[in-house]
Amino acid sequence: MYSTKTPKYRIEESDLKCKNGCNYYGNAAWQGYCSVCHRLQQRALEEERVNNLILTHECENISNIENEHRRLDKSKSKMTAFSRLRKLPNKDQEPKVLLKEPNTCTLSDFQNIEKDSTDLLCIINKTTIGNDVIKKITHFLNEIMEYKDSKRIEKLSDITQTFYQNFSKSMEENSIYKDVSIDIKEKLLDYVEKHSMTLLYSILFCPHYTNDEEKDLDIQKRIRQLNWVSGKNLECKIHETSVEVRELVYTSMMDLLNMDAAKAPQEKLACIIHCCSNIFLLLQQSVGGPASADEFLPALIFIVLKANPARLKSNINFITRFCNASRLMTGEGGYYFTNLCCAISFIECLTAESLNMTKSDFNAYMSGERVPANTWESALMICENLHLVCENITLLQELKIENNEILQQAIELKEDIITFHHRITDKTTAAIKKSPLIISKTKKVQMNLDLDNEACLKLPTPLIPNVNEHQYTSQIDYNSLTNQHNLNPVSKKEYSTPSPTFDFSLFEDNYKLESVKGDDNTSLISLDLHSNSINNEFQIPEETASINLLDDLQNNSENLPSPLKPSTSMQQDYHGFSIQGSTIPIIPCNTGDLLFNSNSEEISNNYPNYC
Amino acid sequence: MKKREHIKIVLLGDKMTGKTSLRKRYFSGHFNETELATIGAGFDSRVFTLQDKEYEMEVWDTSGEEKYQSICRMYYRNAAVAILCYDVTIYSTFQKLNYWIGELYKIQESCKIYVCATKLDLLDQYEANPQINFVESYARENGVKFFLTSSKTGENVVSLFDEILDDYISNSQNTPSCTDTIKLPTNKRRWMKQNKKCC
């Protein structure tokens, strides 16, 4: 077939050779050079490009700073918080330094990773697994360092992806991982990815030999051109006037902006997941029910347009290249990442039709000739103040609630005080009622005390003291005398009972006198008749004799009160000497006096108590 | 136990054909209604353990809006299964199926396709458009399975997903899961020759 066709141009063999004139064949894919010459050419071009980049970099940075400033002026307090999170693009692009010391700039992040996964490290540390993991990571790092100068990001990406695959494969197949649970394996894979990617971040993120940076600037410019696009244009159902929804809009924007600050690809992915779940939350509040994908995509586009995240393309590319591919294919992260990619590609090829407007309108808006009334910026201006007012109102409400609480508590405290007062008064009155304070004589109390003592019961009734005072003796005398006369016959009878020691009839008068005198001796004898030693009884006659003598001397019996009446109990207790004799202890005669004296002294001391 | 295997199912179809309802019907049938409301709405997943292996079925919801169709290709990358939904009473939604099938064959050939006629409960009041017989023959022609479902009544919803799972498992058992070993040339000479050629 080819042979029949007459070629229009005759191709000479020399045409197929390398443009450089070396004897090798050239190739159209290498711009007509042979592979060696093409590579040399490429290297020269690359170097030129790098030089240009470094030269123009300063200017770019300045323009970027200007852009940032412009945006700072435009956006209000909330937005400034966001901007602070943004890093100026490629501020630290001094390639040679970075390549030499990849570790220095990421040291703090690196430490954070180590801190985050201490549990895991504890498990694997100093085991065969730990050694294996370290060995694999170092091998991988060396490989990357080896290829980093090849300036082909796809190659580095391939190395990384193969490393992930091999690592997970070896975990499944290698015998040293046999006992490790799936959970730990996942964590280990995660750790390896995080660890190596954080270390290599400065090398792999937005490398100067790719056009990531240009794309970043393109999309940034594009988004800035589209800042007039409102939720209405996108037909997204964000309820912009609601405070909660607006808060969520801000948080999701924050999450998206945070993506640039995160280092490891899965951390960036986590930011996207956060952002998207917040969007779903705000859609739920706006729509009033679970949102679907039809509502989600426009909302995500809206958020991306309004947030305008720094280095968006670089971040997306970094994730696609160096995040574990299986993570991007499946799961929530994969779904949201796909959505974000869709949103970005929608923004990139946004046309008038996709916003349901005429081309002329679209062009007018894009060129900035016309500014729609309902732009987010102008709305933000109003909303920001509104937002401030809302915040203050909520603050005031909180203060009011707090104040009310304090007042309530004060009232409660007051009530407490009153009830406490009532309770105390009630209690005291009840206590007083229950046990009133009666000042009783100590006498009574002591009498009671005696009752407790059984020994006291056996004692004879105490003597009733007859207070003899000379002033009124005459009156008492008469009574006592009559009493005495009345008593006499009885007592005579009593006394006439056989008694070996006492013959009261004999000493009747003397006895009276003796008692009148208030001398305790005799009365004591009568009290202790049965308890005291029998020796006393023998001494009585002598004593009475002496008393008699005293009586004779004084001889004023008329003034004396009536003699002591011998109590009946005493009479009963007294069973006569013969009966008691058996129980009477034998007491030596010489001690008798002492005993008696001591007794009498004791009793005389105790005696006032009985008064 | 081996690593969990993911089954990515992507829901495609024109807008208002009930993709989200179908997904919600299936997942809320097994979960609490209130619990579902807190789950991210575009994505659902369920884990099955069958024959000592874990399968995670994930369903990716997509937007049916026409203006997003061109960018939706990203969604069905690596999808194992695609469910194409059309409204049983609206002919235009059925016509869309051609587009989706073409797209899938172009981008993700290995993807298994299920055609799903939704809103079956509407057939009490309206005529099926196109006729069910026609769709059945259409499905047979294209070598895809056809289901009639109603998310409102729950009819056929579970059986659709069960069939998908069964097909997937039997399919993955027949074909070895990974054949990514590279055969190096055994002839050493040839190997050396190749090396020489390379400059």
Side-chain angles (χ1 to χ4, degrees):
Chain A
M1 202 176 169
Y2 284 114
S3 57
T4 55
K5 227 179 191 178
T6 43
K8 271 186 180 172
Y9 301 105
R10 197 191 172 104
I11 298 165
E12 307 247 333
E13 205 186 333
S14 59
D15 290 335
L16 295 171
K17 295 255 166 107
C18 173
K19 271 206 271 184
N20 250 10
C22 59
N23 264 334
Y24 290 101
Y25 284 95
N27 192 326
W30 296 327
Q31 279 100 41
Y33 292 100
C34 75
S35 56
V36 179
C37 296
H38 173 70
R39 203 173 291 173
L40 283 169
Q41 184 87 3
Q42 280 297 302
R43 210 165 284 169
L45 279 171
E46 196 63 50
E47 265 166 36
E48 204 177 309
R49 213 177 69 84
V50 170
N51 287 338
N52 280 342
L53 252 180
I54 292 167
L55 277 174
T56 55
H57 190 68
E58 292 292 303
C59 330
E60 261 173 30
N61 253 355
I62 289 163
S63 68
N64 276 327
I65 291 166
E66 271 176 8
N67 290 340
E68 287 292 323
H69 277 300
R70 214 176 304 149
R71 206 178 312 137
L72 288 192
D73 293 339
K74 270 190 201 166
S75 50
K76 314 305 148 343
S77 64
K78 205 81 188 185
M79 296 307 279
T80 52
F82 295 162
S83 314
R84 245 175 262 139
L85 290 166
R86 287 180 206 179
K87 282 185 184 167
L88 294 179
N90 303 314
K91 211 196 290 181
D92 45 8
Q93 205 174 40
E94 196 61 50
K96 279 183 181 166
V97 181
L98 287 186
L99 297 181
K100 267 181 194 164
E101 297 168 327
N103 299 8
T104 44
C105 54
T106 55
L107 200 64
S108 60
D109 299 289
F110 190 63
Q111 279 166 348
N112 279 341
I113 290 173
E114 299 292 312
K115 216 184 280 167
D116 286 344
S117 45
T118 27
D119 304 350
L120 187 71
L121 289 177
C122 279
I123 300 168
I124 64 157
N125 213 5
K126 281 172 188 155
T127 58
T128 46
I129 298 167
N131 290 336
D132 190 57
V133 168
I134 290 163
K135 210 173 82 193
K136 284 205 170 98
I137 290 174
T138 21
H139 182 258
F140 166 66
L141 292 181
N142 286 335
E143 206 176 347
I144 289 283
M145 293 311 262
E146 206 178 293
Y147 281 97
K148 68 170 194 267
D149 291 325
S150 75
K151 304 197 193 304
R152 278 168 61 213
I153 196 80
E154 290 79 19
K155 175 77 184 161
L156 296 177
S157 171
D158 279 350
I159 293 170
T160 316
Q161 294 299 340
T162 352
F163 166 66
Y164 292 148
Q165 271 173 23
N166 288 343
F167 186 78
S168 53
K169 215 178 190 180
S170 78
M171 275 204 298
E172 269 179 42
E173 285 164 7
N174 204 328
S175 57
I176 55 165
Y177 294 101
K178 212 165 61 186
D179 301 329
V180 183
S181 66
I182 289 177
D183 225 39
I184 299 278
K185 273 182 191 167
E186 294 267 309
K187 273 187 191 166
L188 213 57
L189 191 62
D190 210 56
Y191 167 74
V192 166
E193 190 180 337
K194 223 185 242 181
H195 176 104
S196 46
M197 280 306 124
T198 313
L199 271 178
L200 296 168
Y201 184 72
S202 53
I203 295 171
L204 300 180
F205 184 80
C206 186
H208 57 87
Y209 46 84
T210 61
N211 58 352
D212 286 356
E213 201 184 350
E214 289 159 36
K215 280 185 190 163
D216 281 344
L217 292 174
D218 283 349
I219 189 93
Q220 206 162 20
K221 210 170 136 196
R222 174 88 179 160
I223 291 173
R224 222 173 297 142
Q225 272 184 329
L226 288 168
N227 75 340
W228 52 269
V229 175
S230 68
K232 246 182 208 156
N233 295 127
L234 290 165
E235 289 172 41
C236 77
K237 290 158 182 162
I238 295 176
H239 201 264
E240 278 175 46
T241 42
S242 152
V243 183
E244 289 89 10
V245 170
R246 217 163 41 225
E247 277 301 322
L248 281 167
V249 168
Y250 286 132
T251 1
S252 49
M253 282 160 102
M254 259 303 231
D255 290 325
L256 207 56
L257 294 171
N258 277 340
M259 183 176 70
D260 190 49
K263 287 266 158 80
Q266 63 257 64
E267 283 170 1
K268 287 181 191 288
L269 208 56
C271 290
I272 296 172
I273 294 172
H274 269 290
C275 168
C276 291
S277 38
N278 276 327
I279 291 172
F280 268 117
L281 271 181
L282 73 88
L283 282 176
Q284 246 174 54
Q285 291 201 9
S286 307
V287 179
S292 73
D294 290 317
E295 288 133 11
F296 173 67
L297 197 57
L300 182 64
I301 292 165
F302 178 76
I303 296 289
V304 172
L305 277 179
K306 294 311 157 196
N308 194 2
R311 298 195 283 182
L312 185 60
K313 269 278 169 181
S314 298
N315 279 305
I316 295 290
N317 283 339
F318 181 69
I319 296 170
T320 6
R321 285 168 190 155
F322 299 107
C323 191
N324 196 342
S326 66
R327 207 193 294 276
L328 285 184
M329 306 278 189
T330 54
E332 220 179 358
Y335 179 71
Y336 290 140
F337 184 72
T338 311
N339 269 304
L340 183 62
C341 289
C342 286
I344 291 166
S345 75
F346 179 80
I347 290 167
E348 277 173 332
C349 37
L350 190 113
T351 56
E353 293 94 70
S354 48
L355 292 176
N356 300 328
M357 52 171 55
T358 60
K359 250 199 168 102
S360 55
D361 276 351
F362 182 77
N363 288 336
Y365 286 133
M366 283 300 271
S367 57
E369 276 172 36
R370 240 194 293 171
V371 178
N374 188 25
T375 63
W376 173 256
E377 288 296 322
S378 59
L380 202 70
M381 191 97 84
I382 307 159
C383 283
E384 205 51 53
N385 292 328
L386 203 70
H387 183 76
L388 204 70
V389 170
C390 286
E391 262 181 15
N392 287 337
I393 284 169
T394 43
L395 199 73
L396 279 173
Q397 274 171 343
E398 275 167 27
L399 283 174
K400 199 180 168 187
I401 290 163
E402 228 170 274
N403 196 26
N404 279 343
E405 257 174 40
I406 290 168
L407 280 175
Q408 190 67 35
Q409 279 171 1
I411 290 164
E412 275 171 22
L413 188 70
K414 205 176 164 186
E415 277 169 4
D416 274 357
I417 289 168
I418 291 164
T419 46
F420 180 73
H421 180 252
H422 281 309
R423 220 173 52 232
I424 288 294
T425 34
D426 284 354
K427 268 191 180 173
T428 40
T429 44
I432 287 166
K433 231 178 235 173
K434 200 177 156 191
S435 50
L437 180 68
I438 295 164
I439 301 157
S440 52
K441 285 169 189 170
T442 45
K443 233 195 259 172
K444 211 168 186 174
V445 176
Q446 274 161 352
M447 284 294 269
N448 286 340
L449 278 170
D450 273 351
L451 279 172
D452 292 339
N453 196 349
E454 276 184 32
C456 291
L457 284 171
K458 283 178 185 172
L459 291 170
T461 47
L463 282 174
I464 299 154
N466 284 322
V467 183
N468 277 325
E469 274 170 80
H470 289 285
Q471 287 99 303
Y472 45 86
T473 41
S474 55
Q475 283 178 343
I476 299 157
D477 259 346
Y478 183 71
N479 288 332
S480 63
L481 280 169
T482 48
N483 279 342
Q484 195 192 337
H485 284 297
N486 291 335
L487 274 170
N488 272 344
V490 182
S491 57
K492 265 178 187 171
K493 263 184 192 170
E494 294 271 309
Y495 297 147
S496 61
T497 50
S499 149
T501 48
F502 289 94
D503 199 351
F504 284 101
S505 58
L506 283 170
F507 304 109
E508 216 175 41
D509 282 347
N510 292 336
Y511 193 76
K512 273 185 247 165
L513 280 169
E514 168 230 50
S515 63
V516 163
K517 263 176 71 190
D519 202 330
D520 286 336
N521 284 349
T522 43
S523 65
L524 277 170
I525 290 156
S526 63
L527 267 168
D528 299 323
L529 262 179
H530 57 279
S531 60
N532 279 337
S533 64
I534 200 151
N535 297 350
N536 294 343
E537 290 180 22
F538 293 104
Q539 287 165 355
I540 285 167
E542 290 167 43
E543 272 186 36
T544 46
S546 65
I547 290 162
N548 278 344
L549 287 170
L550 281 168
D551 277 344
D552 288 340
L553 283 169
Q554 286 182 347
N555 213 11
N556 47 359
S557 58
E558 279 107 345
N559 287 337
L560 294 171
S562 60
L564 276 176
K565 297 161 207 165
S567 67
T568 46
S569 66
M570 193 174 81
Q571 296 294 328
Q572 280 163 356
D573 282 340
Y574 179 72
H575 303 295
F577 183 73
S578 55
I579 299 160
Q580 278 188 328
S582 58
T583 56
I584 291 164
I586 298 148
I587 295 156
C589 290
N590 57 339
T591 56
D593 283 331
L594 283 167
L595 246 173
F596 175 74
N597 289 335
S598 66
N599 272 339
S600 65
E601 263 174 34
E602 266 183 349
I603 288 160
S604 61
N605 283 338
N606 291 332
Y607 200 68
N609 293 338
Y610 290 95
C611 301
Chain B
M1 194 178 264
K2 276 196 116 184
K3 222 178 146 189
R4 184 181 291 175
E5 203 168 312
H6 292 265
I7 310 168
K8 179 173 160 184
I9 300 170
V10 62
L11 279 167
L12 299 170
D14 206 3
K15 59 176 174 182
M16 304 298 283
T17 47
K19 297 181 295 294
T20 309
S21 302
L22 181 72
R23 180 173 56 86
K24 269 176 197 157
R25 178 72 210 191
Y26 179 62
F27 284 94
S28 66
H30 299 269
F31 291 108
N32 202 340
E33 279 288 345
T34 52
E35 204 176 47
L36 187 80
T38 59
I39 295 171
F43 173 86
D44 279 308
S45 74
R46 264 189 87 190
V47 178
F48 297 90
T49 311
L50 283 164
Q51 291 157 7
D52 219 29
K53 198 170 176 191
E54 276 189 4
Y55 295 92
E56 186 168 351
M57 184 197 268
E58 3 178 289
V59 177
W60 289 31
D61 205 350
T62 61
S63 174
E65 291 270 351
E66 206 156 323
K67 59 181 172 183
Y68 301 124
Q69 267 174 16
S70 56
I71 57 167
C72 271
R73 285 180 184 176
M74 290 183 200
Y75 286 111
Y76 36 85
R77 215 168 42 192
N78 292 309
V81 176
I83 301 173
L84 310 183
C85 298
Y86 84 94
D87 192 326
V88 78
T89 59
I90 301 170
Y91 188 73
S92 63
T93 61
F94 173 75
Q95 279 180 314
K96 269 280 156 85
L97 295 187
N98 274 326
Y99 167 78
W100 293 117
I101 290 173
E103 280 281 297
L104 282 165
Y105 276 136
K106 211 158 63 189
I107 290 153
Q108 194 71 31
E109 219 180 325
S110 62
C111 184
K112 222 165 171 346
I113 300 166
Y114 294 82
V115 170
C116 177
T118 56
K119 310 186 189 179
L120 191 63
D121 49 294
L122 289 181
L123 284 186
D124 297 343
Q125 299 160 40
Y126 304 95
E127 277 281 298
N129 190 12
Q131 288 297 315
I132 303 293
N133 295 341
F134 178 75
V135 185
E136 273 171 351
S137 60
Y138 171 85
R140 232 174 290 127
E141 271 169 40
N142 285 282
V144 297
K145 288 197 175 177
F146 173 55
F147 279 85
L148 278 158
T149 64
S150 165
S151 304
K152 197 177 173 185
T153 59
E155 196 179 337
N156 259 344
V157 172
V158 177
S159 60
L160 166 69
F161 283 92
D162 282 349
E163 179 113 7
I164 287 169
L165 189 68
D166 286 345
D167 285 354
Y168 180 84
I169 290 164
S170 58
N171 202 33
S172 67
Q173 276 169 348
N174 293 337
T175 52
S177 55
C178 54
T179 50
D180 50 358
T181 45
I182 305 155
K183 263 203 169 169
L184 292 169
T186 41
N187 193 342
K188 208 176 178 187
R189 244 211 203 137
R190 218 178 122 201
W191 183 238
M192 294 295 281
K193 218 178 166 186
Q194 272 185 343
N195 263 357
K196 241 184 193 172
K197 251 191 182 173
C198 181
C199 38

